[in-house]
Amino acid sequence: MKALCAVLLLLFAVPCFAADLTGNWAVRDPLPDGTFRTTYLNLHQEDSRISGTIRVTQFCYKIVESTGGPDGFTLTGSMMDGASERRVKYEGKLVGDELHVATRRRADSELTQMVARRAPQGEGALPRRIPLPALHKVADNNLAKTPPMGWNSWNKFRGQVDDGAVRGMADALASNGMKDAGYQYINIDDTWEGSRDASGNITTNKKFPDMKALADYVHSKGLKIGIYSSPGPNTCAGYEGSYGHEEQDARTYAAWGIDYLKYDWCGARNLYSDQEMRAVYQVMGDALLKAGRPVLYSLCQYGRDEVWKWGAEVGGNAWRTTGDIRDAWDSMTTIGFSQDELAPWAAPGHWNDPDMLEIGNGGMTGDEYRTHMSLWSILAAPLLAGNDLRSMTPDILEILTNREIIAVNQDKDGKQGRRITKSGDQEIWARPLSGSAEAVGLFNRSGASAKIAIKWSDLGLKSAPKRARDLWAHSDLKLDGAESEYSVMVPAHGVVMLRVAK
Ligand code: GLA
């Protein structure tokens, strides 16, 4: 087409207005919270081939296949970060000055129709890569001497969290026994963010009219408040990230009274490689210290680049070790039972984080949620409830507030437990506790109840312990001192958790 136009122009001095898809096309989708999601299709049409890029706020794709032209085309984009196989497909046609396009947001969802308009070249392009600083050790902030405990909005509320819900959670946690049991942080996950003002300060969206007032409210309950951001230009849900504004955002958080930051890689993947993560996370570690307010720093990059080996060096108090948890037995156990080898990297102030709790969200049974709570306690994992605290059943509250289990999680020595035996679906994990004691979890991962036996010699004991207590039954075992092991029936997908005094 281009070649033909050039010939026509040369021979007859006739400008050629033939329809062409070449250009930067933008779709601006308003969300109810007052923010926008923008899709940019930056297309280059050459005869029957369409190349270019598609950027859907936080996701960038290179066009790898195309068919058709202005009267009807299809495009396939492949994620540009090299680490993901994710693909998107668009179909559409040129209608006057508009590009009418349609895509499926998920493979199984309906086609979403959109109208794209021409935008200036360069608009919507990824920002330039800011050079990274040399590595150094970020000073310890002396927080999180035991694993953080609290609540986080994501697992239950996703993008539906707002000021009212957060106040409601603070009210519930402060009055239902959770605060007394040690839960302290009320953490707002993704989707609170608005745009940046003329000075580059991050603002909140309509769901959070006044973050400082909300922080004051949470503090008035004797609790602490957490927030979420990304080192990239955008967060996982497509909201404004901290890219290039790290120190400014850290100052804003301090001014609001924020006590905890979850910092999620997501949008940074379009600019930096996994090997550069450490320097990227160091930037915010430094910024938080410089802002002068104690802020617990929680890294979220799904365990890439063996974060447990360097998370503490960049000032991290906790680091996610896996992808996202779901409220399902398979997801919870695949994550929880895969943490054994990470034990050496946990210590007071610096924790492996196998993701937030799903207890009470409805996808698992009581026994399964007891397994979740027990395993996370043996793993010295952060205990961040992820359910609606305003409406949970007494059973769920009892699981979340079992003080004997929480005492294991919060043990001051901060040693993460390990798997000590495995036989088929039955696993025994043990965590050394302060004062010559040990927490022992007898886990039955099978779908039928099973007898599990712990040999005292597996705990390094020559004979039965001085005292052993069942932490879910809240009763001491009756031991006569002569047995070489303790055996017990454990329900399907359930656990018996013991505290053994050596
Ligand atoms: C990622 C994180 C989640 C949550 C979402 C928010 O998926 O791993 O825990 O924070 O982003 O968009």
Side-chain angles (χ1 to χ4, degrees):
M1 178 68 76
K2 281 254 168 64
L4 182 63
C5 286
V7 171
L8 283 173
L9 189 63
L10 211 66
L11 289 182
F12 308 109
V14 176
C16 177
F17 297 115
D20 191 333
L21 296 171
T22 299
N24 192 22
W25 300 90
V27 184
R28 213 163 131 83
D29 273 335
L31 296 187
D33 60 23
T35 63
F36 293 88
R37 279 307 145 276
T38 317
T39 302
Y40 287 96
L41 297 121
N42 200 328
L43 307 181
H44 184 77
Q45 188 197 333
E46 200 142 3
D47 300 324
S48 62
R49 186 166 166 267
I50 308 162
S51 57
T53 57
I54 300 170
R55 179 171 176 206
V56 191
T57 307
Q58 72 275 36
F59 300 115
C60 296
Y61 304 89
K62 182 174 190 293
I63 295 172
V64 289
E65 280 167 30
S66 73
T67 64
D71 296 337
F73 62 83
T74 67
L75 304 173
T76 304
S78 172
M79 194 88 128
M80 278 167 70
D81 71 351
S84 165
E85 299 287 296
R86 187 174 164 139
R87 288 190 160 211
V88 280
K89 285 190 174 11
Y90 283 77
E91 58 187 58
K93 63 180 175 198
L94 196 60
V95 181
D97 287 342
E98 295 173 339
L99 199 64
H100 289 198
V101 285
T103 188
R104 286 180 211 284
R105 299 256 191 242
R106 288 187 315 274
D108 56 351
S109 63
E110 300 278 298
L111 275 177
T112 304
Q113 311 281 348
M114 294 173 283
V115 175
R117 298 200 167 77
R118 284 195 187 272
Q121 267 306 338
E123 189 186 301
L126 276 176
R128 72 184 170 86
R129 248 177 71 101
I130 300 172
L132 292 167
L135 293 176
H136 65 90
K137 166 135 183 41
V138 175
D140 210 308
N141 61 14
N142 288 314
L143 298 174
K145 290 299 175 203
T146 60
M149 294 177 66
W151 174 86
N152 174 292
S153 59
W154 186 254
N155 284 355
K156 173 73 185 175
F157 292 92
R158 300 284 197 262
Q160 304 305 314
V161 63
D162 60 14
D163 178 280
V166 173
R167 285 172 192 252
M169 288 325 135
D171 293 344
L173 191 141
S175 60
N176 66 8
M178 289 180 74
K179 179 182 166 193
D180 297 338
Y183 292 86
Q184 194 183 18
Y185 290 96
I186 297 285
N187 292 349
I188 306 165
D189 208 282
D190 205 353
T191 81
W192 62 267
E193 308 88 338
S195 52
R196 291 191 180 273
D197 69 13
S199 315
N201 296 311
I202 186 74
T203 66
T204 52
N205 65 44
K206 283 186 189 161
K207 297 188 300 161
F208 291 90
D210 186 341
M211 196 59 96
K212 169 90 173 68
L214 179 56
D216 288 347
Y217 183 79
V218 171
H219 290 151
S220 78
K221 299 270 158 183
L223 300 172
K224 295 185 188 296
I225 185 163
I227 214 167
Y228 164 103
S229 189
S230 169
N234 298 100
T235 67
C236 287
Y239 287 75
E240 189 74 21
S242 292
Y243 184 68
H245 294 273
E246 294 81 0
E247 290 197 357
Q248 193 174 13
D249 284 359
R251 284 195 301 274
T252 301
Y253 304 153
W256 284 341
I258 299 296
D259 307 296
Y260 187 121
L261 173 67
K262 172 174 169 184
Y263 205 44
D264 192 346
W265 183 244
C266 254
R269 73 177 149 222
N270 298 314
L271 295 164
Y272 298 110
S273 69
D274 280 15
Q275 289 65 45
E276 292 170 312
M277 281 176 167
R278 181 168 169 179
V280 172
Y281 276 93
Q282 177 187 293
V283 172
M284 186 52 100
D286 282 336
L288 291 173
L289 286 187
K290 197 167 164 194
R293 183 179 172 87
V295 174
L296 194 153
Y297 186 29
S298 163
L299 318 187
C300 176
Q301 40 78 290
Y302 339 113
R304 280 153 81 149
D305 198 33
E306 301 187 305
V307 60
W308 40 88
K309 296 189 177 165
W310 52 263
E313 302 284 303
V314 300
N317 299 110
W319 43 82
R320 279 273 297 279
T321 57
T322 71
D324 290 12
I325 195 168
R326 284 176 297 106
D327 181 22
W329 169 253
D330 279 353
S331 166
M332 183 274 287
T333 52
T334 304
I335 289 176
F337 287 110
S338 69
Q339 303 294 298
D340 179 40
E341 286 173 9
L342 307 188
W345 306 100
H350 311 285
W351 308 102
N352 290 310
D353 174 7
D355 208 354
M356 303 166 297
L357 301 174
E358 290 284 8
I359 295 168
N361 280 334
M364 292 185 248
T365 65
D367 279 326
E368 292 172 341
Y369 285 140
R370 273 183 281 278
T371 294
H372 193 358
M373 185 77 185
S374 305
L375 189 51
W376 263 236
S377 293
I378 285 188
L379 294 175
L383 293 181
L384 295 172
N387 59 323
D388 190 341
L389 306 179
R390 300 166 302 188
S391 56
M392 66 186 144
T393 63
D395 287 358
I396 293 298
L397 182 61
E398 204 181 313
I399 295 174
L400 286 171
T401 53
N402 182 327
R403 289 181 183 229
E404 300 197 59
I405 301 285
I406 291 173
V408 172
N409 177 268
Q410 295 289 300
D411 185 77
K412 70 178 173 51
D413 283 3
K415 296 199 174 107
Q416 180 173 327
R418 302 203 63 158
R419 179 190 286 115
I420 57 169
T421 67
K422 175 169 166 44
S423 161
D425 284 333
Q426 282 79 50
E427 300 191 15
I428 302 180
W429 288 61
R431 173 175 175 181
L433 302 175
S434 55
S436 245
E438 196 111 17
V440 181
L442 311 177
F443 293 98
N444 176 16
R445 296 177 66 176
S446 91
S449 60
K451 193 175 220 177
I452 306 185
I454 166 88
K455 290 195 185 61
W456 301 126
S457 58
D458 286 340
L459 297 178
L461 293 169
K462 293 201 177 68
S463 57
K466 287 200 285 260
R467 186 176 171 215
R469 185 166 171 82
D470 183 323
L471 305 185
W472 287 109
H474 302 296
S475 60
D476 285 356
L477 305 189
K478 292 183 180 49
L479 303 170
D480 66 13
E483 313 92 334
S484 62
E485 63 174 44
Y486 171 70
S487 73
V488 62
M489 285 304 286
V490 183
H493 290 182
V495 60
V496 168
M497 180 99 152
L498 306 176
R499 185 181 193 282
V500 174
K502 290 180 164 176

